[in-house]
Amino acid sequence: MDGADAIELEHQRRMVSLRAEGVIAILCPVASDVVAGVAIMTVPAEEAAEIMAGDPCVRAGMMRCEVHPCHGFPGDALPV
């Protein structure tokens, strides 16, 4: 689609910005033809859905987003 590279770049910029703001705790692009990535957010599911509805790639119809509420266990973290 025309402008796809610019839209993708804005998506990436926005996701990294959300990570820097603490809205996204873990951001994992995925090497897959089906899944673009996984973002674990620090906000309620409804807010996460609103945030992702405003994503440039979602708005352009280049990708869709599914939001799944989840819980972690105390002390969960990625190894350093």
Side-chain angles (χ1 to χ4, degrees):
M1 97 186 288
D2 284 343
D5 289 343
I7 294 168
E8 173 67 23
L9 192 59
E10 180 58 21
H11 159 76
Q12 292 173 4
R13 185 208 62 75
R14 186 170 183 265
M15 296 302 281
V16 170
S17 177
L18 290 168
R19 171 67 179 94
E21 293 169 11
V23 174
I24 295 176
I26 299 174
L27 181 58
C28 302
V30 176
S32 167
D33 292 335
V34 180
V35 176
V38 174
I40 298 177
M41 295 187 165
T42 61
V43 297
E46 297 80 20
E47 186 177 346
E50 290 174 17
I51 289 168
M52 292 311 299
D55 182 86
C57 284
V58 173
R59 287 193 336 257
M62 294 170 56
M63 66 176 63
R64 63 184 181 83
C65 176
E66 295 180 11
V67 175
H68 300 275
C70 64
H71 304 279
F73 292 98
D76 277 355
L78 292 173
V80 179

